[in-house]
Each structure stands twice: as C-alpha cells, then as structure tokens.
Amino acid sequence: MKMELNIICLLFISLCLIFPSASATTLNYADALEKSILFFEGQRSGKLPANQRLTWRGHSGLSDGSTDHVDLVGGYYDAGDNVKFGLPMAFTTTMLAWSVIEFGDQMGRQINYARDAVRWGADYLLKAATAAPDTLYVQVSDPNQDHHCWERPEDMDTARNAYKVTSQNPGSDVAAETAAALAAASTVFRRTDPAYSAKLLQTAAKVFDFANRYRGKYSDSLSSVVCPFYCSYSGYDDELLWGASWLYLASRNASFLSYVSSNGNTLGAGDDTYSFSWDDKRPGTKVLLSQGFLRNRIQQLELYKVHSDNYICSLVPGANGFQAQYTPGGLLYKEGESNLQYVTSATFLLLTYAKYLNSNGGSVSCGTSKITAPQLTSLAKKQVDYILGQNPAKMSYMVGFGERYPLHVHHRGSSIPSVHAHPGHVSCNDGFQYLYSGSPNPNVLVGAVLGGPDGNDGFSDDRNNYQQTEPATYINAPMVGALAFFAGTQNVA
C-alpha cells in the first residue's frame, strides 16, 4: 500500500510539472519581456546612447583596449562586477540573437530594443575580432583585481588590461563562440541592415577559421585570468560544432554543413549531455541542427533529432530517460550557484524544439512513449511562471517585476548611489560599505533575473549571497525568447 501511495504521489508531481494549475494568477508576460530586455542597458559598458533608459548608469570603460593600442570600448559586463568576459558575452549575444530569430515576431514593440541589445554585443565582438590579425581579444580587466574592489563601473580605477588569444596561445572555445554570436547576429539584421549583416557574417567565418585552425582551450592560454571564473570545463569541441552550425544556418554555405557532417561525431554529436550553458553548447547544438531534419529532411542531421529527443526526455518527469531534478515547488534544479541560468536555457530549448516539432507535426520519442510539443510548452511555462513569482516563496526572481522581488542584488552599480545622485568618486575600498549595507539597492536593476533559490526553494535576499542574488547576462538572454513566446501567445489568446 505504501509503495502504491508513493507511485501516486510521484505521478501527481509529474502531472503538476507538465500541466500547471489553470487557477494560477495570470502573469503579464509582455511586461516581463520588456523588463528582461531593459536589463541589458544596465550591463552596458562604453559610451551610453542618448536613448539610454536606465538613466542611473553613466559612461564607463572609455579607454578599454588602450593598453594594447586597440579600441575595445563597449560590450557588456557579465554580471555584478566590472569585467568584460568574452566567452559569456559571446554566448549572451548568441542567445539574444537566437531569441530574436525564433520569437522576434512575437516581441511586438520590443523588437527594436531586442535588436539593440544584440547589436550592442555584436559591435563589441566585431572590434575584438578585427583589432589585429590572427588575434581575438577575449577579456578586459583582471577579475582577481576587480573582485577586490566594490565600485561603480563609472568609477573604475583598477587596471583595465586587455587579454587575447592568438595562433601561439589559442582559444578555440571562445573564438568559435564568438563566430557563433556574429553568425547568429547576422541573421537578425539580414533584412533590416544588410550591409551590417554581411560584415558580421564575413567576420564570423574568419573567426571560425581561426578557432578551427589554431586549436586549444583559452583557459589553458590565459589560466588564472579566466579560471575559476569562466574556465572552459567542457573543452572546445562543443563550440566548434556550435559555431559551424550557426555559420551553416546563417550562410547556407554547404561547406559548413559538410564540416558538421564530417566532424560531428568527433566533436560530440553523439554525446548526450544535459546542461546547456555558456560552457557546454552540446544540447543547444542538437536542437539547433534538428530543424534541418524536421523542416527540410536533411538526412545527415537526423542524428541531432535523436539526441535532441534524449535531452528533452531527460527533462520531462515520468518519461523514459528522465533524470532531471526538480525542487519541491517545481523548479528545474542543477546546482546551488546561479541555478536559474540552467533553467532559462533549458526553457528556451523546450520552446524552440516545440516550435520545430510543430512545423511538421512531430513528437519526442522517449522509449516507447511520445511527448508532444504542447507538453514541452507546458513544462516551459511552469519554469517561467516560477521565476516570475508563482513559487512557494511568492517571490519574483526578476527584479522590478511583480509585487515582491529581491531588493539586495549583488551588483556594484545597482548597490552604490548613482553618479547622478552622488557625483563624488567612490573608491575601491569605500564601496564595500554598500556591499554590506542592509538597505535596499538605491538603483533598481529592472529586469535582472537573479541566480535564484536553492534545491528546497529557499532564498536569502542578501547582497553578499552572490550564489543567489547575482544577475548575469546569460541568465536573461534565453529568458528573452521564452517571454516573447508567452507574451505573443497571451496576446493572441
């Protein structure tokens, strides 16, 4: 009897995850979409434009690159610090672009802001890729020094060293991700700015050739400057396949499809991995390439449909192959530090794969059972709704959205009075009083999705608790696409 009750309880939890309660409060996805894009304006480095909407920010990093006599002004700060890390920035740009490609027609009035967010990242990556021959600049600032300070980006007085990978000190992972970002961005601007699109695509091909020709992990070349912050734990094979896939889809050049077909198995096409992130691109590549089989019946890409199914089955409770972990409140849970990055990326893949399946009436094969596209959409909605406040804590993990959200965000610029409110310089050490203050952040980082709760749905709104209260561009980027989908669906309904 006890075993039967356990089985019934597990079945109930599974059904709740896939088919959320219809009685839940309706969320304003369009509002959340607008805010999720606005967040990127708070992460901008460089000279801010006249139409900057988060007005508590100011110009910053205006001499970036000068140590190497190159122009590296612009781009995004990755999270709550003032470092420009190339690998997560490139992944962020790729995912913003993919969000626009798949769900831009559901963004309504936000589409131009979304394109601006893509362009801000792509402009910087263009500079980084073309500053010198056989060279890719991949970072500005030493994080070991930066993390010893708590100061606004407008006040930075730590060294702004520029770091690069070259033919002698390669970085195939960051270079191939940069190629993916530029290729994806070229697709975004193909119709609205053809000349810019062509420049992005041409540069993407050159950067990919550089990544493929001079192979090596960038963390081996740059060591403590990038580790343990953004080490290339998965190696560079996944980025090479990811980059080639994006170049094929952006250019329709058969040579890139040939590269994928010839090198796929050695680069991880047959590997089943279950976390899609700034480090490991394998699940995303499978889903991206599966559309070639699902929509165009390209037979050499059928393998990617099979492995996309394996990935999706791992997420669906009760499915053959299920192995994901969920919190008692229903949130996908991978690890304690910045868990929501895995939630937003998985949610994006669920929705994108559902879209591809819908294009030909396909389904997911999990052993002998079939999972339908609407089931994937329902599971994705549960994750989005949890992030936006439908969770045991009744807390929105998007800053500025809903009635209750975190107030003590681990973010230097947001936690220190703005340069407009406090024009005086706040030095490296003087800023720590704001890190340890119990007062709410004076500047609201609207739209930031934070690291999120633990495996038991617990969350501590503490600025020093960076594992849970720090935002990151690569958490938000996939969320933009997911919110666009639900905002568009909500408007139609």
Side-chain angles (χ1 to χ4, degrees):
M1 181 66 179
K2 184 176 181 181
M3 183 178 293
E4 290 177 352
L5 286 172
N6 286 338
I7 292 172
I8 291 171
C9 288
L10 285 171
L11 180 61
F12 177 76
I13 292 171
S14 300
L15 289 172
C16 286
L17 283 169
I18 301 175
F19 300 106
S21 169
S23 63
T25 304
T26 301
L27 295 165
N28 188 338
Y29 298 116
D31 182 46
L33 170 63
E34 179 178 5
K35 289 172 176 173
S36 72
I37 299 170
L38 181 59
F39 158 74
F40 289 95
E41 296 191 17
Q43 297 303 112
R44 284 173 170 171
S45 179
K47 182 176 175 59
L48 302 183
N51 65 350
Q52 170 81 10
R53 293 175 295 167
L54 284 187
T55 54
W56 51 266
R57 280 297 321 281
H59 308 315
S60 64
L62 297 182
S63 62
D64 283 357
S66 61
T67 56
D68 278 33
H69 308 289
V70 295
D71 176 9
L72 296 176
V73 176
Y76 290 115
Y77 303 115
D78 71 305
D81 54 25
N82 300 324
V83 183
K84 295 195 297 200
F85 291 99
L87 182 56
M89 194 196 306
F91 178 67
T92 293
T93 305
T94 307
M95 293 308 298
L96 277 171
W98 200 2
S99 291
V100 173
I101 291 165
E102 300 297 347
F103 305 111
D105 60 352
Q106 294 167 279
M107 290 183 178
R109 291 177 297 176
Q110 300 307 313
I111 184 62
N112 288 330
Y113 291 118
R115 290 195 191 108
D116 287 346
V118 174
R119 189 185 286 263
W120 195 271
D123 280 351
Y124 173 83
L125 295 174
L126 270 176
K127 290 181 178 183
T130 59
D134 283 339
T135 299
L136 174 68
Y137 280 91
V138 299
Q139 191 165 308
V140 177
S141 184
D142 181 345
N144 298 289
Q145 294 182 29
D146 179 89
H147 289 185
H148 281 108
C149 294
W150 192 266
E151 56 188 342
R152 302 174 297 202
E154 296 84 0
D155 286 332
M156 289 184 293
D157 47 23
T158 52
R160 299 294 289 175
N161 297 334
Y163 300 93
K164 60 191 177 185
V165 294
T166 65
S167 57
Q168 300 300 313
N169 295 288
S172 299
D173 30 33
V174 65
E177 179 61 67
T178 300
L182 294 171
S186 77
T187 305
V188 169
F189 295 102
R190 183 179 294 151
R191 293 181 179 177
T192 57
D193 193 340
Y196 181 61
S197 173
K199 184 178 182 180
L200 290 170
L201 187 57
Q202 181 183 37
T203 306
K206 290 179 179 179
V207 177
F208 180 78
D209 180 68
F210 170 73
N212 188 51
R213 187 184 303 271
Y214 306 111
R215 296 196 179 190
K217 289 170 58 173
Y218 94 126
S219 45
D220 287 342
S221 296
L222 296 174
S223 60
S224 63
V225 174
V226 297
C227 291
F229 312 99
Y230 293 103
C231 279
S232 181
Y233 298 105
S234 69
Y236 56 79
D237 286 352
D238 57 309
E239 276 89 8
L240 286 174
L241 189 58
W242 173 247
S245 303
W246 272 110
L247 275 159
Y248 167 64
L249 291 167
S251 69
R252 295 299 170 180
N253 186 321
S255 67
F256 292 112
L257 179 59
S258 177
Y259 181 96
V260 168
S261 300
S262 301
N263 297 283
N265 284 328
T266 59
L267 297 178
D271 299 343
D272 283 322
T273 55
Y274 303 104
S275 291
F276 178 44
S277 69
W278 58 263
D279 178 47
D280 194 341
K281 314 300 158 44
R282 285 171 288 186
T285 303
K286 311 291 173 49
V287 171
L288 181 67
L289 288 175
S290 72
Q291 65 177 305
F293 175 73
L294 288 167
R295 290 177 168 173
N296 303 316
R297 290 296 165 185
I298 301 173
Q299 291 304 311
Q300 61 260 51
L301 298 181
E302 184 177 8
L303 168 71
Y304 297 94
K305 199 279 182 187
V306 172
H307 286 283
S308 293
D309 282 3
N310 293 346
Y311 170 71
I312 297 298
C313 296
S314 77
L315 297 174
V316 178
N320 189 344
F322 171 64
Q323 59 177 272
Q325 180 181 349
Y326 289 87
T327 68
L331 180 71
L332 178 66
Y333 186 77
K334 289 287 184 181
E335 61 177 64
E337 185 172 326
S338 192
N339 178 64
L340 287 186
Q341 66 175 300
Y342 305 106
V343 179
T344 60
S345 63
T347 297
F348 180 89
L349 292 185
L350 283 166
L351 292 171
T352 301
Y353 199 48
K355 178 182 175 181
Y356 297 165
L357 292 172
N358 277 329
S359 68
N360 79 336
S363 61
V364 180
S365 297
C366 299
T368 57
S369 62
K370 301 290 185 183
I371 305 295
T372 65
Q375 287 175 277
L376 304 190
T377 301
S378 294
L379 179 55
K381 184 176 185 298
K382 175 68 176 178
Q383 301 308 300
V384 169
D385 290 356
Y386 184 110
I387 292 171
L388 296 181
Q390 292 186 1
N391 54 60
K394 306 301 181 188
M395 167 79 79
S396 166
Y397 295 108
M398 175 183 282
V399 176
F401 181 85
E403 296 181 0
R404 184 168 177 256
Y405 52 83
L407 301 176
H408 306 86
V409 180
H410 184 94
H411 189 277
R412 287 159 174 77
S414 173
S415 66
I416 302 173
S418 77
V419 290
H420 308 297
H422 188 293
H425 181 79
V426 179
S427 68
C428 169
N429 291 322
D430 288 346
F432 281 104
Q433 62 180 302
Y434 300 104
L435 169 62
Y436 300 117
S437 167
S439 300
N441 286 24
N443 311 307
V444 181
L445 189 61
V446 177
V449 179
L450 306 187
D454 62 25
N456 292 309
D457 302 300
F459 180 81
S460 175
D461 185 9
D462 180 346
R463 194 174 296 113
N464 206 31
N465 176 21
Y466 69 89
Q467 297 92 335
Q468 294 188 321
T469 63
E470 187 169 19
T473 57
Y474 46 86
I475 302 177
N476 265 65
M479 188 71 165
V480 169
L483 288 169
F485 171 81
F486 289 115
T489 305
Q490 195 172 54
N491 289 337
V492 171

